């Protein structure tokens, strides 16, 4: 009961803070005085607040002893009179005068360089002109989304990229970025972790440094290395908002990659420094559990950790107008917490999309049946998961880079591919006993499945194909690349792509490029000139999906009614979207995916057909017409026809 009371009070404090330029439940700034509070053990000998003139270096100019709240002994408070705007602060729960152990707290909303000290600012100063009028793009069904995953540095850092703000938030406000995204046709940008993470030294940005950012430090502050001035606490927040507003202005949603499942380390984490032992799970031996594969795992089932996740998601929505959240290693979190988050989000804005990795990276110290894994997605109605079943059916298993699958012309993955095409919902023509990782449909709705063939993790698509098919020519590589994405973008569910694949991106064969240099991770924008046919095909696929709702049915019953699979052949899957599915203007649409090195013929309903996709070319107005009940599809290509 005590923790429940703390939870309710913390939420109330949050609400008060939102109306008073709050920095979070821990710091509420007003011109007359700033109130500080911290969730820390009641048994702590003392909790010290230190105030600094600068975000780094120097000694505190004021030290304040915090006191336990009279009614909640795990809450410590202090009020400092006067206008503290521009001041930096730390809390110290476990340190001593000789060996301080300082932290900005778990809910700092503004920090100094490298995030070691919290910053007291007026959040109104972070709003760019027009921010109060900014709004998310008009709502659609999740299946109408086309998600483009990017890393800020990858996207714009190349010396010949043509961007002014290379590697920065502001690159996504530039005309080149906006024009490219609009021309491609994506309507949602998934940005890799953009909260303040630990592995980049923001005081040395003139030196090459790289990390994906899955090493959280301050969850509720934008990362400083992507800002033009990491020393200025206002700068990173304002520029992040400028990025969001620029994308919203052209109808593109912004999805934030969140990593609540672990911290950079345990002893250096703000969680551990404020309340040792509370926020992390331990196994039966008393050791810290490592379900994240990163040295620790957070305990989402504990009330204050759950509250933290809820309020963090709420904060990113309210303060930064975020349109969706991708949960890293969602399988570390418990089902109940994910449902709390999804329900809260949908009450605030039902357009906001929640999805995540439906697995963990190791065994968690929590009952497996209670974890938010892919197998339990049906218990989370407003949450989606990545479909690794479909991904690996196309490219091969995640644990063996050299082993191919459908794209390599290896039979046996056709049923797994069919399951992905059907959105992983129950379908009478899918035999789940033959699906690679699932023995039953795990999605109740197609909106719960993310269809994809590659992402930032593992090899990108071109590198994977080169590894499993040594000596492959560029011509064959392109054919298989386009075939793979045809499967992704004509499937039911929510399609997802890695940035740069539209320009035949490679990462020099690096499997895990999380800290590889720029020459491995950067997008080479000159590839648009080298491989124009690749971009044109991706753009055509996305346009085809956008213009024809048959490819994005939002209901499982509609899929079972309108999606019909044609007889399977080895390394060939074909399906028909029939009877004006989802009120599509085309009566019947047939998609044939042929991964064989030989031409194949497929029996189809007799009639007059128009070809709109053939041999790496897409033209919705029609490439050619034919009559009959046989369709011929060339090697390693897709054929799409309609009547």
């Amino acid at each position: 009961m005590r923790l429940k009371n703390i939870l309710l009070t913390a939420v109330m404090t949050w609400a008060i803070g939102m109306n008073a330029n709050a920095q979070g439940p821990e710091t509420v700034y007003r011109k007359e005085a700033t109130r500080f509070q911290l969730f820390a053990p009641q048994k702590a000998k003392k909790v010290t607040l230190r105030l600094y003139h600068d975000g780094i270096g120097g000694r505190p100019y004021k030290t304040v002893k915090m006191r336990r709240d009279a009614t909640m002994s795990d809450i410590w408070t202090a009020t400092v009179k006067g206008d503290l705007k521009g001041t930096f602060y730390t809390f110290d729960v476990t340190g001593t005068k000789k060996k301080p152990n300082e932290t900005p707290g778990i809910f700092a909303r503004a920090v100094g360089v490298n995030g070691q000290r919290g910053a007291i600012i007026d959040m109104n100063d972070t709003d760019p002109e027009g921010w109060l009028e900014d709004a998310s793009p008009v709502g659609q069904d999740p299946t109408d989304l086309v998600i483009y995953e990017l890393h800020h540095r990858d996207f714009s850092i190349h010396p010949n990229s043509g961007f002014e703000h290379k590697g920065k938030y502001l690159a996504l406000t530039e005309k080149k970025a906006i024009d490219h995204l609009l021309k491609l046709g994506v309507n949602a940008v998934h940005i890799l972790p953009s909260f303040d993470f630990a592995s980049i030294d923001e005081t040395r940005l003139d030196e090459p440094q790289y990390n994906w950012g899955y090493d959280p430090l301050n969850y509720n502050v934008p990362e400083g290395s992507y800002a033009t001035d990491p020393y200025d606490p206002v700068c990173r927040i304002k520029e992040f908002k400028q990025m969001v507003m620029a994308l919203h202005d052209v109808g593109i949603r912004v999805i934030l990659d969140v990593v609540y499942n672990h911290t950079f380390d345990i002893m250096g984490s703000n969680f551990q420094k404020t309340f040792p032992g509370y926020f992390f799970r331990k196994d039966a031996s008393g050791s810290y559990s490592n379900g994240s594969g990163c040295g620790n795992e957070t305990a989402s089932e504990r009330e204050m950790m759950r509250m933290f996740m809820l309020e963090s998601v709420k904060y990113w929505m309210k303060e930064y107008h975020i349109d969706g959240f991708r949960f890293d290693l969602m399988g570390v979190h418990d089902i109940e917490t994910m449902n709390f988050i999804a329900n809260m989000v949908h009450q605030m804005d039902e357009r906001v999309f929640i999805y995540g990795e439906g697995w963990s990276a190791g065994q968690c110290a929590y009952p497996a049946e209670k974890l938010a894994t892919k197998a339990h997605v049906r218990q989370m109605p407003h949450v989606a998961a990545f479909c690794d079943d479909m991904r690996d059916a196309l490219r091969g298993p995640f644990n063996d880079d050299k082993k191919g699958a459908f794209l390599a012309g290896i039979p046996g993955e056709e049923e797994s591919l069919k399951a992905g095409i059907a959105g992983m919902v129950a379908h009478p023509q899918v035999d789940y006993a033959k699906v690679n990782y699932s023995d039953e449909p795990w999605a109740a709705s197609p909106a719960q499945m993310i269809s994809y063939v590659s992402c930032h993790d593992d090899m990108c698509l071109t590198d994977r194909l080169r590894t499993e098919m040594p000596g492959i020519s560029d011509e064959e590589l392109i054919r298989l690349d386009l075939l793979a994405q045809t499967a992704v973008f004509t499937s039911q569910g929510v399609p997802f792509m890695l940035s740069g694949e539209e320009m035949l991106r490679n990462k020099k064969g690096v499997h895990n490029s999380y800290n590889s240099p720029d020459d491995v991770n950067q997008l080479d924008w000159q590839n648009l000139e080298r491989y124009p046919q690749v971009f044109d095909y991706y753009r055509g696929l996305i346009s085809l999906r956008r213009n024809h709702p048959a490819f994005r049915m939002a209901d499982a019953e509609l899929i079972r009614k309108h999606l019909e699979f044609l007889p399977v052949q080895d390394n060939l899957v074909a399906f028909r979207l029939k009877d004006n599915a989802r009120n599509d203007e085309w009566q019947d649409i047939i998609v044939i995916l042929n991964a064989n090195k030989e031409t194949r013929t497929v029996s189809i309903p007799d009639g007059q057909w128009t070809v709109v996709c053939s041999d790496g070319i897409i033209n919705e107005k029609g490439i050619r017409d034919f009559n009959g009940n046989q369709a011929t599809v060339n090697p390693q290509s897709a054929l799409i026809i309609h009547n």
Side-chain angles (χ1 to χ4, degrees):
M1 286 301 295
R2 178 170 55 83
L3 280 180
K4 288 184 178 180
N5 289 335
I6 294 172
L7 174 62
L8 291 172
T9 303
V11 172
M12 290 174 64
T13 305
W14 158 272
I16 295 169
M18 283 299 294
N19 294 322
N21 295 321
Q23 309 302 304
E26 294 170 344
T27 309
V28 178
Y29 163 75
R30 293 185 178 87
K31 190 172 182 178
E32 299 77 17
T34 298
R35 177 177 170 82
F36 300 86
Q37 66 177 25
L38 192 70
F39 174 60
Q42 60 175 304
K43 295 181 180 180
K45 292 182 179 179
K46 65 175 181 178
V47 177
T48 303
L49 168 70
R50 297 187 179 96
L51 301 178
Y52 294 85
H53 290 301
D54 298 303
I56 189 172
R59 298 175 62 84
Y61 74 85
K62 188 179 184 66
T63 299
V64 179
K65 182 179 180 180
M66 301 184 74
R67 299 183 181 279
R68 284 197 297 265
D69 186 276
T71 58
M72 296 171 295
S73 55
D74 285 338
I75 297 294
W76 297 70
T77 65
T79 298
V80 179
K81 295 182 179 179
D83 190 351
L84 299 188
K85 181 177 175 181
T87 297
F88 298 85
Y89 68 91
T90 63
F91 302 108
D92 193 333
V93 179
T94 59
T96 64
K97 188 173 183 179
K98 291 184 178 181
K99 292 184 178 181
N101 192 23
E102 297 179 273
T103 170
I106 67 172
F107 216 107
R109 296 189 186 178
V111 295
V113 67
N114 279 338
Q116 297 303 308
R117 294 174 183 168
I120 301 172
I121 64 173
D122 185 337
M123 291 299 290
N124 292 325
D125 294 340
T126 70
D127 293 346
E129 184 178 353
W131 181 247
L132 295 181
E133 288 73 48
D134 176 72
S136 298
V138 175
Q140 296 174 311
D141 289 324
T143 53
D144 295 331
L145 294 173
V146 176
I147 301 174
Y148 184 86
E149 180 195 50
L150 68 81
H151 182 278
H152 294 289
R153 192 171 179 92
D154 292 2
F155 187 75
S156 56
I157 200 64
H158 195 286
N160 299 321
S161 68
F163 288 96
E164 176 185 355
H165 300 96
K166 291 180 173 62
K168 305 297 183 183
Y169 299 122
L170 292 181
L172 286 171
T173 70
E174 296 183 37
K175 185 176 187 300
K176 178 169 185 173
I178 297 297
D179 287 351
H180 178 78
L181 296 172
L182 288 177
K183 187 176 181 182
L184 182 60
V186 299
N187 58 15
V189 167
H190 163 159
I191 51 177
L192 261 65
S194 300
F195 49 72
D196 187 41
F197 52 87
S199 53
I200 300 298
D201 186 344
E202 297 170 2
T203 69
R204 298 188 296 112
L205 296 184
D206 56 336
E207 302 175 18
Q209 299 179 76
Y210 186 92
N211 206 283
W212 282 340
Y214 292 95
D215 50 337
L217 183 61
N218 294 295
Y219 284 93
N220 300 294
V221 188
E223 163 62 16
S225 66
Y226 300 142
T228 58
D229 183 359
Y231 290 85
D232 178 2
V234 171
C235 177
R236 63 178 77 192
I237 299 173
K238 189 170 187 176
E239 290 179 353
F240 188 102
K241 290 179 177 180
Q242 287 177 273
M243 172 194 68
V244 171
M245 191 162 65
L247 293 168
H248 280 177
D249 283 348
V250 294
I252 297 175
R253 296 170 179 270
V254 181
I255 296 171
L256 185 67
D257 202 322
V258 289
V259 191
Y260 298 115
N261 65 83
H262 73 277
T263 58
F264 178 61
D265 61 12
I266 292 179
M267 300 314 295
S269 75
N270 296 325
F271 287 142
Q272 191 74 350
K273 286 182 177 182
T274 57
F275 206 122
Y278 178 84
F279 290 97
F280 298 97
R281 294 182 185 136
K282 292 184 178 181
D283 59 25
S285 71
S287 300
Y288 285 105
S289 184
N290 188 23
S292 70
C294 298
N296 61 84
E297 67 185 74
T298 55
S300 59
E301 70 280 4
R302 294 182 182 169
E303 289 180 279
M304 290 305 286
M305 184 62 204
R306 179 178 289 171
M307 185 277 286
F308 174 80
M309 293 172 65
L310 283 161
E311 298 307 332
S312 179
V313 167
K314 182 192 295 184
Y315 178 65
W316 281 103
M317 287 178 62
K318 283 182 168 289
E319 187 64 44
Y320 291 95
H321 303 177
I322 292 298
D323 307 292
F325 297 87
R326 178 267 194 191
F327 281 75
D328 181 66
L329 295 179
M330 185 173 69
V332 171
H333 301 314
D334 66 291
I335 294 169
E336 190 175 24
T337 294
M338 288 306 304
N339 278 330
F340 270 123
I341 292 170
N343 291 336
M344 176 194 73
V345 164
H346 276 253
Q347 289 176 12
M348 294 172 64
D349 185 347
E350 63 182 9
R351 300 170 299 175
V352 172
F353 187 47
I354 303 288
Y355 61 102
E357 293 179 298
W359 47 80
S360 63
Q363 184 174 354
C364 296
Y366 199 67
E369 67 273 13
K370 295 183 178 182
L371 293 173
T373 55
K374 185 183 68 174
H376 300 146
V377 164
R378 294 173 69 91
Q379 298 179 45
M380 301 179 284
H382 299 303
V383 177
F386 285 94
C387 185
D388 55 338
D389 310 85
M390 181 180 187
R391 177 198 68 192
D392 290 3
L394 287 166
R395 67 167 203 184
F398 72 94
N399 58 358
D400 188 346
D401 293 337
K402 296 181 179 180
K403 185 176 181 181
F406 182 81
L407 296 173
I410 300 174
E413 298 292 345
E414 295 82 9
E415 212 66 21
S416 297
L417 184 52
K418 286 171 56 181
I421 288 168
M424 293 307 294
V425 302
H427 190 285
Q429 291 180 285
V430 176
D431 183 356
Y432 272 89
K434 298 178 180 178
V435 175
N436 48 17
Y437 303 138
S438 304
D439 56 8
E440 62 181 6
W442 50 260
S445 158
Q448 291 185 289
M449 187 204 81
I450 305 292
S451 61
Y452 76 121
V453 67
S454 67
C455 65
H456 71 276
D457 265 333
D458 303 329
M459 288 184 172
C460 61
L461 181 56
T462 57
D463 284 342
R464 176 70 189 231
L465 291 171
R466 287 189 177 101
T467 300
E468 65 190 42
M469 303 172 69
I472 187 173
S473 67
D474 281 355
E475 292 76 15
E476 185 177 11
L477 179 75
I478 290 173
R479 287 198 300 272
L480 293 175
D481 182 286
L482 304 187
L483 178 62
Q485 297 294 4
T486 307
V488 169
F489 283 99
T490 61
S491 295
Q492 305 301 317
V494 182
F496 174 105
M497 65 173 287
L498 173 65
S499 67
E501 292 194 322
E502 73 277 16
M503 54 185 85
L504 211 67
R505 173 189 194 169
N506 75 80
K507 293 196 288 183
K508 298 186 177 181
V510 177
H511 177 97
N512 187 12
S513 66
Y514 78 99
N515 65 350
S516 297
D518 289 331
D519 64 353
V520 169
N521 285 298
Q522 65 192 359
L523 304 193
D524 185 349
W525 287 80
Q526 293 179 335
N527 273 10
L528 288 172
E529 299 174 5
R530 296 186 186 105
Y531 310 109
Q533 72 275 33
V534 174
F535 180 86
D536 288 344
Y537 192 87
Y538 276 59
R539 178 178 61 173
L541 267 178
I542 293 170
S543 175
L544 187 69
R545 183 180 181 88
R546 181 178 64 245
N547 293 336
H548 292 281
F551 293 112
R552 42 191 173 84
M553 288 180 273
D555 181 82
E557 284 299 329
L558 288 178
I559 292 173
R560 287 186 280 270
K561 177 180 179 181
H562 293 287
L563 171 59
E564 175 188 23
F565 288 101
L566 304 180
V568 169
Q569 303 177 28
D570 283 350
N571 304 314
L572 184 147
V573 171
F575 60 95
R576 177 166 68 128
L577 301 169
K578 60 185 182 181
D579 302 329
N580 305 97
R582 205 186 179 191
N583 298 316
D584 201 296
E585 63 178 303
W586 291 349
Q587 180 177 334
D588 286 349
I589 304 170
I590 292 178
V591 178
I592 305 173
L593 307 169
N594 179 21
N596 294 284
K597 293 188 176 182
E598 304 84 25
T599 298
R600 291 292 178 92
T601 299
V602 176
S603 296
I604 60 174
D606 191 36
Q608 181 173 343
W609 298 93
T610 298
V611 177
V612 294
C613 172
S614 178
D615 298 325
I617 296 173
I618 295 178
N619 185 340
E620 287 183 56
K621 295 181 179 179
I623 298 172
R624 63 181 181 275
D625 296 327
F626 72 94
N627 291 308
N629 59 4
Q630 299 286 314
T632 301
V633 55
N634 288 329
Q636 297 177 318
S637 70
L639 179 73
I640 302 177
I641 60 179
H642 77 88
N643 63 12

